[in-house]
Amino acid sequence: MLDTLIIPRTRDLGDGFEVRRALPAMHKRAVGPFVFFDQMGPVTLAPGKGLDVRPHPHIGLATVTYLFEGEILHRDSLGSVQPIRPGDVNWMTAGRGIVHSERTSPELRASGHRLFGIQTWVGLPQADEEAAPEFLHMPGTRLPQWTHDGVETRLILGACGGERSPVPTRSPMFYADAQLATGARMALRFDYSERAAYVVQGTIDFEGKRFDSGQMLVFAARESVSISTASGARVLLFGGEPLDGERLLWWNFVASSKDRLARAAADWKDGRFASIAGETEFIPLPENAPRLVDYP
């Protein structure tokens, strides 16, 4: 019933700040519409240090930022300025093109703070790949939450457990934050073609084997499964129906064709994306990235 076990690749961004990239993986490019999955931290940022992801572009996807600790200040080319805090959801639809930055606010930079969270990318249906860009912030207090048999669940996106998140998604999916108490067991009755669990904290047991934090379990399609924990755990559960056709990823872009990726790359290099008010820095197009013609 376990289709794939993914051990994320770790990348050091400097100052002790690491990300763990679980998707895309060599043997699993996506789970449902989720085409990218990064864990940020946990890291303690000393006074004077902070996150500085300079303005960069996206097309063909929606980004989802979800924090466990800390705060990130989001700015984008639509004029949005929004701090995101633990339990809240930032859902940014890139569509035909958007630019955003992710930084530590001056106040937190001065005092130092902890940062720990997940960023995922959700591919858009082909009919929505060229949609107008949008930004939505959803406070955690508005997300459905319930407790059953020692499991506290918050529904971030989509529908499961008879509940639906108020975040307006564009294809069938679910994304939930589950905290399991010591000795708890959780049945995964999410009726979707593709489903996965990412262990954020603690350890879980599945089919007689133990899985540690930082591991992603991708389950067989539509099989009835359950996970348990002897000592407590926090797990992100997600998945949905596959997108309508293959998606190609290149740098920060997602598209159904190489031509669209190439056009986005040329537009960023030539300065044709919209800018962010008050920001003058930007991340240049990577010269050492694989050429578009190398992608399948």
Side-chain angles (χ1 to χ4, degrees):
M1 289 187 287
L2 184 62
D3 178 74
T4 307
L5 176 64
I6 298 174
I7 308 297
R9 310 181 304 278
T10 300
R11 181 183 176 193
D12 190 342
L13 301 183
D15 293 325
F17 190 87
E18 292 185 343
V19 295
R20 293 179 176 182
R21 182 156 301 161
L23 292 176
M26 182 177 297
H27 301 295
K28 194 69 177 177
R29 305 296 295 174
V31 176
F34 291 84
V35 298
F36 179 94
F37 190 106
D38 253 11
Q39 174 182 320
M40 306 174 286
V43 63
T44 299
L45 298 168
K49 302 291 185 179
L51 180 69
D52 278 304
V53 181
R54 294 167 292 161
H56 58 282
H58 290 289
I59 66 162
L61 56 88
T63 65
V64 189
T65 305
Y66 186 77
L67 297 182
F68 307 114
E69 296 181 74
E71 179 180 312
I72 294 175
L73 183 61
H74 164 97
R75 291 189 178 93
D76 64 41
S77 51
L78 299 176
S80 312
V81 179
Q82 176 65 57
I84 179 169
R85 301 182 176 95
D88 297 345
V89 177
N90 268 17
W91 172 267
M92 184 184 76
T93 303
R96 59 177 175 258
I98 198 169
V99 178
H100 75 136
S101 66
E102 299 157 297
R103 300 184 185 271
T104 299
S105 69
E107 296 79 13
L108 286 179
R109 192 182 300 270
S111 63
H113 75 299
R114 293 262 300 171
L115 184 63
F116 183 20
I118 302 290
Q119 186 171 90
T120 61
W121 296 355
V122 174
L124 299 177
Q126 291 185 27
D128 295 321
E129 286 187 302
E130 298 298 326
E134 298 177 344
F135 175 79
L136 173 73
H137 177 78
M138 185 64 65
T141 53
R142 293 189 56 193
L143 299 175
Q145 299 182 59
W146 64 93
T147 301
H148 179 70
D149 290 344
V151 181
E152 183 179 336
T153 305
R154 172 186 282 134
L155 184 57
I156 302 168
L157 299 175
C160 72
E163 301 284 351
R164 179 173 291 278
S165 168
V167 179
T169 55
R170 293 173 181 259
S171 63
M173 72 182 72
F174 76 98
Y175 185 21
D177 177 6
Q179 298 189 63
L180 286 71
T182 299
R185 177 176 294 274
M186 182 181 192
L188 309 181
R189 301 189 183 94
F190 307 145
D191 189 23
Y192 293 92
S193 298
E194 300 185 357
R195 303 159 301 161
Y198 184 77
V199 186
V200 176
Q201 294 171 319
T203 61
I204 64 170
D205 296 299
F206 176 67
E207 292 187 329
K209 297 180 180 179
R210 182 155 295 179
F211 299 91
D212 298 322
S213 62
Q215 295 184 323
M216 180 178 288
L217 292 73
V218 182
F219 304 109
R222 300 191 186 279
E223 291 285 348
S224 177
V225 299
S226 66
I227 59 175
S228 62
T229 178
S231 56
R234 188 169 196 170
V235 181
L236 291 178
L237 307 163
F238 65 99
E241 299 307 320
L243 291 164
D244 51 351
E246 183 185 19
R247 292 300 185 276
L248 305 176
L249 277 70
W250 189 86
W251 193 37
N252 298 315
F253 305 138
V254 175
S256 300
S257 71
K258 292 180 186 178
D259 288 346
R260 185 63 183 98
L261 294 177
R263 180 153 55 92
D267 286 345
W268 182 246
K269 187 174 183 179
D270 295 338
R272 286 190 288 269
F273 274 83
S275 60
I276 302 174
E279 298 250 19
T280 57
E281 297 180 300
F282 66 93
I283 299 177
L285 196 73
E287 298 296 335
N288 59 347
R291 295 178 303 162
L292 288 171
V293 293
D294 294 334
Y295 279 68

